[in-house]
Amino acid sequence: MTTATSYVVATRNLRLDHLDQLNSGKIKIYSGAVPATADASLGAAVLMATPTFGATAFGAAVAGVKTANAITQDSSAAGDTNPATFARLTKSDDTVIVQLTVGGTAQATTGGLQLATSSITVGQIVQLSSLAITEAG
């Protein structure tokens, strides 16, 4: 027998509070095979860009959604010839907190992190205009 689980909004907001660990953290964008979990090894993935969070990464969660404050651009990306496929949100000491798939033009707008294009070239400026994470009910 399977059961459906549903959380009240207040609980969903509390579950999102773990993202406060990302204050002054990083958004590391990679190309390559997406690891099965955030705990798994990067394998042969290539780090393409690293925009950063400010001192207060996110505002308070509202209705099960936590929205990032301003994100500092990566002004000179490492880039790669392959498209971006996933990102890891890390604390300032590089401890991984969340892994997201990347969406964009090449991925037909699917993925947890939407980029204008999944192609990131060497020296390119990578700016994220917004980031919001939703805790499902």
Side-chain angles (χ1 to χ4, degrees):
M1 174 182 192
T2 60
T3 60
T5 303
S6 180
Y7 295 99
V8 298
V9 171
T11 300
R12 291 172 28 215
N13 289 344
L14 283 172
R15 291 171 56 113
L16 286 165
D17 283 345
H18 76 282
L19 296 174
D20 292 338
Q21 298 177 75
L22 294 169
N23 292 344
S24 301
K26 304 169 189 173
I27 303 167
K28 295 183 165 192
I29 303 170
Y30 295 90
S31 64
V34 180
T37 69
D39 296 310
S41 166
L42 288 170
V46 175
L47 179 61
M48 300 176 75
T50 309
T52 55
F53 290 110
T56 304
F58 288 86
V62 176
V65 178
K66 194 140 174 123
T67 302
N69 291 321
I71 298 168
T72 303
Q73 70 186 18
D74 181 337
S75 59
S76 184
D80 190 26
T81 56
N82 296 306
T85 53
F86 71 100
R88 286 186 168 177
L89 310 185
T90 71
K91 294 168 48 174
S92 59
D93 67 2
D94 295 322
T95 302
V96 177
I97 302 300
V98 179
Q99 178 175 288
L100 307 166
T101 56
V102 169
T105 305
Q107 286 86 18
T109 68
T110 61
L113 180 65
Q114 298 295 316
L115 299 176
T117 177
S118 63
S119 176
I120 298 174
T121 58
V122 175
Q124 177 180 335
I125 294 171
V126 177
Q127 176 67 52
L128 302 180
S129 59
S130 66
L131 174 65
I133 297 181
T134 302
E135 177 69 34

